[in-house]
Amino acid sequence: MTPEELQEQAEKRRAEQKDTPHQIRVCVAAGCISTQSDQVKEALVKGLSPELQKTCQVNGVGCMGLCKEGPLVSVDDTLYKAVSAADAPELINSLSQTPVQRLLCDSKAPFFSRQKKIVLENSGKINPEVIEDYIAADGYVALHKALAEMTPLQVNEQVTISGLRGRGGAGFPTGLKWSTVAKGAAGQKYVICNADEGDPGAFMDRSVLESDPHRVLEGMAIAGYAVGANQGYIYIRAEYPLAIQRLKLAIRQAERLELLGKNIFGTTFSFHVELRIGAGAFVCGEETALIASIEGKRGTPRPRPPFPAESGLWGRPTLINNVETFANIAPILRNGGSWFAGIGTEKSKGTKVFALAGKITNTGLIEIPMGITLREIIFDIGGGIPDGRKFKAVQTGGPSGGCIPEQYLDMPIDYESLAKAGSIMGSGGMIVMDDTSCMVDVAKFFMEFCMTESCGKCVPCRVGTVQLHGLLCRITDGTATMDDLSQLEELCDMVRSTSLCGLGQTAPNPVVSTLRYFKEEYLAHIQEKRCLAGVCKITVPHAAGVSR
Amino acid sequence: MSPLSTLTPRVKTLKINGLDVSASEGEKILDVARQNGIQIPTLCQLDGLTSVGACRLCLVEVKGTPKLLPACVTSVEEGMEVTTTSERLVKYRQMILELLFSERNHICSVCVSNGHCDLQGMAQAHGMTHVRFPYLYPQQGVDASHRRYVMDHNRCILCARCVRVCDEIEGAHTWDIQGRGGDAFVITDFNQPWGESQTCTSCGKCVQVCPTGALSEKGKSVAEMTKKREFVPYLTLMREEL
C-alpha cells in the first residue's frame, strides 16, 4: 500500500461515516459481551427498517470504560447504560428525537470528563474488526512516518524523548530498552508483545487488544523498524479468546493491505507478526519464562543477565514490551516525543490505564494522566465506595504489589510514589477495599495465587510460598502464635531476597505491605482470636492467654 | 581490535572475601572461588552440566548491587568485590535447607543414601539441627518399574540434575519436570512408568548425579548407595576436545 492509498482509504471511510447521519455504537468488548451486548447489537441491527438502514449504522466497538453499567450503547452523542435487547426499538425510535431517559448514562460525569485518553483514544469509537475504521482514525500514519521520514535512530530518539516507561510493571525506560536492542549483535532480532496479563483484577491489556488491536500491531512494527527486527510475536494467554480472535483478524487485514509483511509501504522494511497462545501460567509474564514458552520449552524463568535485549528468543537480541507500552507508540510518533513528555509528572510521563475493581461505585477501565491522586481516581472518577461504607485500602500492582491505606490517598500516582508507599504501579490493576475486607485474608488470597502460580524451579518461591500461605491460614483461622508472626516476617524477607525471578521476589509484597499498615489486624487474629472485619471464621474459643 | 585480541580471553581481577583473585572473562564466581579454595554451597549445580541457579544456596553478595547473585551463573567482572559468607547469607542458606527438608519426606535413617547424600551433608555443614517449618508430607510415591533403578519422589529436591544429565550428556531427554510449584515432580517420558520408557537407555547417569536418595540402584540397602559423579566433567571435557 502506498501512503496515497492509505489516505484514500481513510477518506473513503470518513465519507461513508459522514453519509450515514446516525451512528449506533455497541460495546462488544468482553465485559459488555458478558452482559449480552452481542444480543443488543443484533436486536438493533434487526430493528432498523430498510429506510433507516440508509441513514443509520450499527457498529460493534471497543470498551467505553464504565464496565459496571454494561452493556453500553452510544446513539450518536448520547450514551446509554445497562441496555438490553428489549430496549432496541426504543433506542431506534429515539434517533433525532428525545433520548430514552431511563437508560441515559451521564457522559459529562467525572468518570468520563476527568480522564485523558491516549492509549484508549479509539476505544469505544472504532470497530476493532474493521481496519478501515482504524485507518480513518489516523491509523498506520505513524508507521508510515517512521519508515518514510525517519531513521531507526530517530525513532528511538523520539521514544527516548517521550520519557515513556514500560507499562508492564517495572517501569523501565522504553527508549533505553529499544536502543539497547538496536545496538545488540547484528542479524536476526525479535520483537515480542507481552499480552500474558494475569494479575487478579486486571483487564487493561485485554481491553486494549479487544478494542483497538491495530494500535498494538502498529506499535510493534514501529519497534521492529527501530531495533532492526523483522519478526514479532504476541504472547497472549488462552483465557483471552476474543482478543485472540480480533488479533488474528487484525493481522490478516493488515497483511492484506500490506501494512504488515514484506516491504511495508514499498520500503525495504519487512515485519511479520505471529501469535503464540500461552497455556495460562502467570510466570510466563516474566520475560525469560515467556521466551522459553515461545521456544516450545517449559515456561520457567532463567537468571538474568543475560537480559533478553542481549540474548533473548533463540539467543538473539529481543525487545519485549507490554501491550500498553506498544499502544503508546503510534501517538508518540504522530505527535512527537516532547508532546508526550509534556503529560504526566517529571519522572513518569504520559497516561496510565487502570482497571478499577473491588468495592468501588464505577468499576471499569480508566486512563488518567500520571500525577493525579489516588483520591481523585477513587472518589471522583471511581465514584467512591458504595453502600456508604468506608474506604480502607487500595491494592495496586497485583500479586507483586501492595495495599495502600487511607493516609496515602492524596499521593500523586507515579512509579516512585507508589514504590515509596510500599506498592508498585504494576500493569495497572486497582482493587479497592472497604471496611468489610480483612487485610490478612487479602494477603492470604494473593499468597495462594503466588503459591499456585510458582513454577517450582527455585526453592524459596516453590516451598517458601507454601509455608507463607500455611502461616497466613493459621493466622486467619485463629491458631497462630506470635512465633508464627515472626516466622512470617522472616520468611517474607528470605523469599523476597533469594527467589530467582520477579514472581518469587515480589510474592511477599502483599503480606509486607499489609503488615506495614494493618499490623493490628494480624495481632487481633493472633492475640484476641478476632477478625476485626468479621471475615475470617475463627472457631477457637476466646480463651485468654492462648497466644504466646 | 586485532583478531588476536578477540581470541585471547581477557583476564579480570577481583576480590572474593577480601582475597585478590584473577579470572578469565566469562568465568563464573563459583568456579573462581573454588579455584582459590573458597567453598560456596550448591545443590543444583554440578560440574559438567549447565548451571540453572535454582537452589539459591550459592547466592553471594556483590558490592554495589543490592540484589544477591547466584555464584554459579554470575560472570566475574573487573574490580568486583564478592562476599560469599555473611550473617545474612548463612541465615538464608539455613532457611533454604529447612524449606527443602520440610517439603518432602527426607528421613535419613531409612535412606539408601544416608551418609552419602549432598542434602544431608549440606545440612550438617550448616549446623542445621532441626526444621522449624511444618513438614508438608505430600504423597509422592515410588517408581520401581525400572529393571535396575528406583525413583523415590519423596526424596527428590527438584534440582533437575537428572533432567540435565539425560538431556545434555546422554542425549536421551527421558527426564523432565511436570506440574507447577509444590506440585512439580520429575517424570520419565510423558509421565509413564520408568520401566516402560521408550527413550531411557538405562545408562544410569541420572542415578549417579542425583544429590539425594531419590534415584538409586536396586538392591541397595540403607546407607549403601554411593554415587560417582566425576564422569560428568570428564565426558563434557572429552566432547569439547572433539
Side-chain angles (χ1 to χ4, degrees):
Chain A
M1 173 173 266
T2 64
E4 292 75 30
E5 283 168 344
L6 186 73
Q7 194 63 34
E8 210 175 283
Q9 284 273 8
E11 294 299 335
K12 196 175 138 204
R13 186 68 180 172
R14 281 180 205 133
E16 264 175 34
Q17 285 164 347
K18 242 187 190 162
D19 284 350
T20 36
H22 298 298
Q23 295 282 338
I24 299 182
R25 299 186 173 92
V26 185
C27 171
V28 287
C32 279
I33 285 190
S34 71
T35 54
Q36 275 85 48
S37 71
D38 45 348
Q39 288 172 20
V40 175
K41 188 183 152 206
E42 207 182 297
L44 284 164
V45 173
K46 278 190 183 154
L48 288 183
S49 62
E51 194 57 33
L52 271 175
Q53 276 171 15
K54 288 175 199 148
T55 57
C56 180
Q57 239 185 14
V58 178
N59 255 313
V61 294
C63 182
M64 300 188 221
L66 194 54
C67 303
K68 188 200 174 188
E69 303 284 9
L72 293 173
V73 174
S74 81
V75 178
D76 297 330
D77 291 326
T78 315
L79 188 62
Y80 294 104
K81 62 186 180 185
V83 180
S84 69
D87 300 324
E90 245 181 300
L91 288 184
I92 292 170
N93 280 336
S94 79
L95 287 166
S96 342
Q97 289 174 38
T98 39
V100 186
Q101 291 298 329
R102 63 183 174 84
L103 296 174
L104 274 184
C105 179
D106 181 10
S107 55
K108 301 276 182 299
F111 180 85
F112 297 99
S113 63
R114 297 293 287 275
Q115 295 192 44
K116 178 167 182 64
K117 297 201 171 179
I118 296 175
V119 170
L120 302 175
E121 62 183 348
N122 295 331
S123 192
K125 294 187 181 138
I126 66 165
N127 185 334
E129 296 181 353
V130 178
I131 189 172
E132 288 80 7
D133 262 23
Y134 181 68
I135 292 171
D138 284 338
Y140 291 103
V141 165
L143 177 62
H144 176 255
K145 185 177 171 186
L147 299 186
E149 298 168 22
M150 300 166 86
T151 63
L153 199 66
Q154 285 169 328
V155 175
N156 280 333
E157 245 170 46
Q158 287 306 312
V159 175
T160 306
I161 290 170
S162 77
L164 174 67
R165 293 170 66 171
R167 298 293 194 242
F172 190 79
T174 307
L176 184 57
K177 205 178 210 177
W178 285 30
S179 57
T180 313
V181 180
K183 285 178 184 158
Q188 183 66 52
K189 292 178 191 179
Y190 298 99
V191 170
I192 296 176
C193 172
N194 181 352
D196 192 63
E197 177 178 63
D199 301 19
F203 48 90
M204 299 76 54
D205 293 349
R206 193 194 70 204
S207 282
V208 170
L209 292 169
E210 285 171 357
S211 306
D212 199 3
H214 286 285
R215 174 60 85 84
V216 179
L217 294 176
E218 186 178 2
M220 287 179 72
I222 294 170
Y225 176 69
V227 303
N230 62 5
Q231 177 67 49
Y233 291 96
I234 302 177
Y235 188 86
I236 181 166
R237 53 177 41 221
E239 289 96 326
Y240 285 179
L242 186 62
I244 292 169
Q245 182 196 322
R246 294 209 173 130
L247 271 173
K248 277 185 181 164
L249 182 68
I251 292 171
R252 272 209 306 276
Q253 291 170 340
E255 280 173 351
R256 196 188 64 223
L257 296 183
E258 295 168 358
L259 296 164
L260 281 181
K262 272 192 178 170
N263 302 108
I264 300 172
F265 287 117
T267 65
T268 53
F269 175 64
S270 301
F271 192 74
H272 301 266
V273 177
E274 278 181 44
L275 291 189
R276 284 290 181 273
I277 316 293
F282 184 66
V283 71
C284 286
E286 202 280 340
E287 51 187 24
T288 58
L290 189 157
I291 286 172
S293 183
I294 292 184
E295 288 174 348
K297 297 177 189 146
R298 188 175 154 80
T300 55
R302 60 156 178 80
R304 301 173 307 172
F307 289 91
E310 186 193 339
S311 173
L313 194 57
W314 291 296
R316 303 300 309 166
T318 302
L319 174 78
I320 302 193
N321 276 143
N322 166 268
V323 170
E324 196 184 328
T325 316
F326 283 124
N328 269 304
I329 297 302
I332 288 176
L333 281 215
R334 272 204 316 263
N335 305 319
S338 29
W339 159 79
F340 191 83
I343 304 160
T345 67
E346 196 197 333
K347 284 184 175 169
S348 302
K349 302 295 187 191
T351 58
K352 179 78 193 81
V353 180
F354 285 104
L356 275 183
K359 303 286 176 60
I360 187 155
T361 306
N362 301 329
T363 47
L365 194 72
I366 59 161
E367 182 172 358
I368 47 106
M370 296 273 194
I372 84 169
T373 66
L374 270 172
R375 191 183 297 279
E376 286 173 274
I377 293 180
I378 294 164
F379 289 93
D380 298 348
I381 297 173
I385 317 297
D387 307 326
R389 314 248 24 147
K390 200 174 168 304
F391 171 85
K392 187 170 194 178
V394 57
Q395 210 281 349
T396 74
S400 311
C403 295
I404 301 172
E406 202 179 358
Q407 73 226 53
Y408 287 100
L409 274 179
D410 293 307
M411 177 183 82
I413 292 285
D414 61 47
Y415 288 94
E416 279 74 22
S417 311
L418 282 167
K420 217 185 259 174
S423 188
I424 55 163
M425 181 81 75
S427 49
M430 216 175 240
I431 305 172
V432 181
M433 285 167 279
D434 66 9
D435 51 5
T436 60
S437 306
C438 167
M439 301 314 281
V440 190
D441 188 61
V442 167
K444 188 175 83 176
F445 168 81
F446 283 102
M447 192 51 69
E448 186 181 358
F449 181 85
C450 290
M451 174 180 82
T452 48
E453 292 297 332
S454 166
C455 77
K457 182 171 177 173
C458 78
V459 186
C461 176
R462 184 179 74 227
V463 201
T465 54
V466 176
Q467 295 288 5
L468 278 168
H469 181 253
L471 285 164
L472 290 166
C473 285
R474 283 216 292 286
I475 296 174
T476 52
D477 69 19
T479 53
T481 64
M482 288 302 283
D483 285 348
D484 288 326
L485 185 64
S486 53
Q487 199 172 73
L488 183 80
E489 288 170 334
E490 213 179 320
L491 254 180
C492 280
D493 165 55
M494 180 263 185
V495 171
R496 174 191 261 187
S497 308
T498 59
S499 290
L500 193 160
C501 83
L503 199 165
Q505 285 162 9
T506 59
N509 283 2
V511 184
V512 173
S513 75
T514 48
L515 268 173
R516 182 165 159 192
Y517 300 119
F518 301 96
K519 192 159 187 177
E520 73 281 1
E521 292 198 33
Y522 283 84
L523 292 174
H525 283 88
I526 298 168
Q527 295 176 326
E528 300 165 34
K529 306 295 171 200
R530 205 156 67 86
C531 173
L532 297 182
V535 172
C536 306
K537 301 277 170 284
I538 296 179
T539 46
V540 180
H542 280 234
V546 214
S547 64
R548 277 172 283 155
Chain B
M1 201 184 280
S2 70
L4 190 66
S5 65
T6 57
L7 290 173
T8 321
R10 291 207 197 127
V11 176
K12 309 265 177 188
T13 55
L14 60 149
K15 273 189 203 299
I16 303 183
N17 295 348
L19 184 76
D20 285 310
V21 297
S22 62
S24 309
E25 187 172 25
E27 267 192 298
K28 308 299 175 210
I29 295 173
L30 181 75
D31 298 319
V32 179
R34 283 181 181 167
Q35 289 156 22
N36 290 279
I38 299 167
Q39 293 309 321
I40 302 174
T42 60
L43 276 176
C44 67
Q45 190 273 346
L46 187 68
D47 278 347
L49 300 180
T50 53
S51 295
V52 290
C55 74
R56 316 305 283 171
L57 281 171
C58 72
L59 287 177
V60 294
E61 290 170 2
V62 173
K63 199 177 171 186
T65 313
K67 280 192 174 175
L68 303 176
L69 302 174
C72 67
V73 291
T74 307
S75 301
V76 293
E77 271 167 46
E78 183 63 37
M80 213 179 210
E81 289 182 40
V82 183
T83 309
T84 68
T85 51
S86 67
E87 208 178 309
R88 185 173 174 221
L89 290 174
V90 169
K91 182 183 148 195
Y92 289 159
R93 284 174 190 154
Q94 278 175 349
M95 287 178 89
I96 288 171
L97 289 168
E98 282 184 61
L99 286 176
L100 275 175
F101 273 90
S102 78
E103 192 182 17
R104 295 193 180 179
N105 297 1
H106 298 284
I107 302 167
C108 302
S109 58
V110 292
C111 181
V112 283
S113 287
N114 189 8
H116 315 290
C117 168
D118 289 2
L119 180 67
Q120 187 187 36
M122 201 65 77
Q124 286 164 345
H126 283 79
M128 203 185 95
T129 52
H130 56 275
V131 177
R132 289 170 301 162
F133 304 111
Y135 288 95
L136 302 173
Y137 286 134
Q139 290 296 311
Q140 285 287 349
V142 176
D143 181 356
S145 59
H146 195 281
R147 184 166 55 85
R148 287 163 58 189
Y149 312 116
V150 185
M151 168 75 214
D152 183 351
H153 291 280
N154 298 295
R155 293 168 180 159
C156 174
I157 59 166
L158 293 166
C159 66
R161 281 188 189 180
C162 54
V163 177
R164 282 173 284 154
V165 81
C166 188
D167 179 39
E168 296 168 12
I169 306 289
E170 180 63 9
H173 203 133
T174 299
W175 291 99
D176 219 317
I177 293 175
Q178 181 178 311
R180 278 211 295 259
D183 296 328
F185 62 102
V186 291
I187 52 165
T188 43
D189 290 348
F190 293 108
N191 195 16
Q192 285 144 335
W194 193 2
E196 291 166 26
S197 167
Q198 300 286 305
T199 58
C200 175
T201 61
S202 299
C203 71
K205 289 188 180 73
C206 51
V207 176
Q208 299 304 326
V209 299
C210 174
T212 69
L215 286 170
S216 60
E217 288 162 2
K218 272 190 176 170
K220 289 278 187 334
S221 182
V222 174
E224 286 183 346
M225 184 71 221
T226 53
K227 305 206 170 176
K228 307 171 206 71
R229 307 208 169 92
E230 316 76 60
F231 70 94
V232 181
Y234 173 75
L235 286 179
T236 312
L237 184 73
M238 283 301 117
R239 288 183 185 188
E240 277 167 5
E241 295 283 303
L242 289 170

